[in-house]
Amino acid sequence: MKKVRGIFPGIFTMGNLFCGFLSILSSLDGSAIHASWLIILAGFFDALDGWIARFSRATSRFGIELDSLADFVSFGIAPAVIFYSFKLYVLGKWGFILGFVFILCGAFRLARYNLNAKSEKSNHYTGLPIPMSACTIAGYALFCYYLWGELRFPEILISMIIAFSGLMVSSISYDTLPSFHLGNRKNNLKLMYVGVALVALLIKPSLAFFPLGMLYVLSGVGREIYGILHNPKKEKVLEESYGK
């Protein structure tokens, strides 16, 4: 029975991988908008496969490994191809190196997750999750094309690539998705944020993904700085296991 239940999250994992593959093809065909939307769709499938696996109690080591391989394609290689194909190629070998650094840090992030992954849902991720990193970059592409019809401000893109690469391999704590019940104040605030985000995405999805993604990225950095300033001598203790 468990093997049968495992088919359902596996379907969404394959959907994630398929979207990543199509995103790479779209970048090579010259469509940054389609490539970016496919990465975001892959993120949607990635969130669903984890939720369904826990809900159906079909989590397994095989599923974790397969999910990470799909994530590597959709959130590691695909975004690197997007920003190299449409902007970083003008930097020559430096653009190639930046793209590879992003892929390298993403691979490290996923490998670290696999080594420490548990079947139970944790309350925190250690380091910036690679799906959020990729979706924020894809959101930046959509943001630029909506306002200006092309990718602009390469210095911002380069800064994000470097910063996100560092954050993925850092030990900074990031929140997981909230539970769907009114359990405690922190979970309620997370639910409120998700609700506001969904409304914004329904109204202007092309404009909303990038600022919402950046808000999430900066939330972990801000919490880390706050902790250092208020507990300069206190050693940081991770509350949960490593997350993806």
Side-chain angles (χ1 to χ4, degrees):
M1 179 62 73
K2 187 174 182 179
K3 290 183 178 180
V4 175
R5 292 199 305 265
I7 294 175
F8 296 105
I11 292 173
F12 289 97
T13 300
M14 290 300 99
N16 171 8
L17 180 60
F18 185 60
C19 287
F21 175 64
L22 289 182
S23 175
I24 294 171
L25 294 182
S26 296
S27 293
L28 297 178
D29 287 339
S31 179
I33 295 177
H34 289 159
S36 299
W37 276 120
L38 284 164
I39 287 177
I40 291 172
L41 182 59
F44 175 73
F45 281 126
D46 182 58
L48 276 181
D49 73 2
W51 183 82
I52 291 174
R54 287 186 293 269
F55 180 78
S56 62
R57 297 181 180 178
T59 54
S60 66
R61 288 302 308 180
F62 177 81
I64 291 171
E65 297 291 343
L66 183 63
D67 183 60
S68 288
L69 287 172
D71 288 351
F72 181 65
V73 174
S74 299
F75 310 125
I77 297 175
V81 173
I82 288 179
F83 51 66
Y84 180 78
S85 299
F86 293 92
K87 214 62 184 176
L88 296 187
Y89 70 91
V90 299
L91 298 176
K93 64 179 181 180
W94 292 109
F96 171 81
I97 291 172
L98 277 175
F100 180 70
V101 166
F102 183 85
I103 293 174
L104 181 65
C105 292
F108 180 91
R109 177 75 179 83
L110 291 168
R112 185 176 67 178
Y113 165 75
N114 283 3
L115 286 174
N116 297 276
K118 292 182 179 179
S119 298
E120 301 84 13
K121 180 178 172 63
S122 61
N123 294 323
H124 294 87
Y125 297 129
T126 300
L128 178 64
I130 187 174
M132 184 55 69
S133 177
C135 288
T136 303
I137 289 176
Y140 178 73
L142 295 174
F143 186 85
C144 288
Y145 272 91
Y146 185 89
L147 293 180
W148 303 292
E150 62 177 357
L151 269 173
R152 298 185 67 177
F153 308 111
E155 60 277 5
I156 295 178
L157 183 58
I158 292 170
S159 298
M160 284 197 300
I161 295 168
I162 295 172
F164 289 3
S165 297
L167 288 171
M168 282 193 291
V169 299
S170 72
S171 59
I172 293 176
S173 178
Y174 280 92
D175 287 331
T176 61
L177 289 172
S179 302
F180 291 97
H181 62 82
L182 301 178
N184 55 61
R185 182 174 178 272
K186 185 174 182 179
N187 189 71
N188 294 345
L189 289 174
K190 288 163 68 175
L191 279 172
M192 187 181 301
Y193 170 80
V194 171
V196 171
L198 288 174
V199 172
L201 291 173
L202 288 173
I203 296 173
K204 284 289 183 183
S206 296
L207 288 178
F209 269 106
F210 175 59
L212 288 172
M214 285 303 300
L215 184 61
Y216 179 82
V217 172
L218 294 175
S219 68
V221 177
R223 183 167 50 239
E224 184 76 7
I225 294 174
Y226 179 86
I228 292 173
L229 293 177
H230 287 76
N231 300 283
K233 296 181 180 179
K234 184 177 180 180
E235 206 175 297
K236 183 179 177 182
V237 177
L238 296 179
E239 296 179 359
E240 300 290 339
S241 61
Y242 287 100
K244 179 175 65 174

